[in-house]
Amino acid sequence: MSGAEQGGFEPATGDGPAAPAGECPGGRAGELRTAFEGLLQIRRLTGGGCAGPEGAPADWERHRPVRAVALALEASGIPPSAVGPSGERTATGYRVCESGVPGSVRVEWAGPPGSGVAHDEEEALAGCVEVLRRLGWTALLYRGPRRRRFLEVEPPPAARV
């Protein structure tokens, strides 16, 4: 059963399995395009006083920030990380998770051990910031334990619920 049959499209957060090789062209890519266009349509319909659909996150997004941020990143073409059956990281890319602050999420650049992911994270996360800011999110870059960089992402102050 596909994600759509189970209750809707689930964007890649970077904590799931890698996309299957040789996926049919209309499969996940089509579902992703439809989901992102739906998100933009929700923004158009709910408006929030913004000039365009990219102005600010809609209520739907503010109530599901992990899903909304993951959808924005995946739709922009940024690759998600992935994990194997035993929980080991198998692919390099973004990872979106709860941040511990309500309404906010954390975006990390994750990859398999020994992949040199720490050397690429600043540039990769800068690309994530560009995508998220264009879509109205506030994305701030921080340095955490072991000097690893990550983003804290939240709706702009005027849009918080």
Side-chain angles (χ1 to χ4, degrees):
M1 200 184 281
S2 76
E5 293 168 351
Q6 292 178 10
F9 177 80
E10 284 299 323
T13 62
D15 282 334
E23 182 179 298
C24 71
R28 182 160 180 87
E31 290 177 357
L32 173 62
R33 186 174 44 259
T34 299
F36 188 69
E37 288 170 1
L39 180 143
L40 294 179
Q41 185 64 15
I42 288 169
R43 285 182 173 200
R44 282 185 200 97
L45 293 172
T46 59
C50 295
E54 294 188 351
D59 283 344
W60 176 91
E61 296 169 88
R62 289 184 287 245
H63 294 293
R64 297 163 192 82
V66 169
R67 189 173 185 183
V69 167
L71 177 58
L73 294 174
E74 187 176 0
S76 75
I78 296 174
S81 183
V83 294
S86 61
E88 78 283 2
R89 237 356 90 221
T90 60
T92 299
Y94 68 81
R95 177 179 181 259
V96 181
C97 59
E98 296 288 334
S99 71
V101 176
S104 171
V105 298
R106 181 179 176 124
V107 177
E108 305 168 339
W109 195 251
S115 66
V117 71
H119 298 291
D120 300 329
E121 71 187 2
E122 184 172 17
E123 184 178 339
L125 289 173
C128 294
V129 167
E130 183 180 319
V131 167
L132 295 169
R133 285 188 178 159
R134 187 172 1 106
L135 290 168
W137 292 93
T138 300
L140 301 172
L141 181 65
Y142 291 98
R143 201 180 282 267
R146 296 184 314 255
R147 304 192 48 80
R148 293 294 308 268
R149 293 173 180 88
F150 66 92
L151 302 176
E152 282 286 329
V153 181
E154 58 189 14
R160 287 194 194 126
V161 175

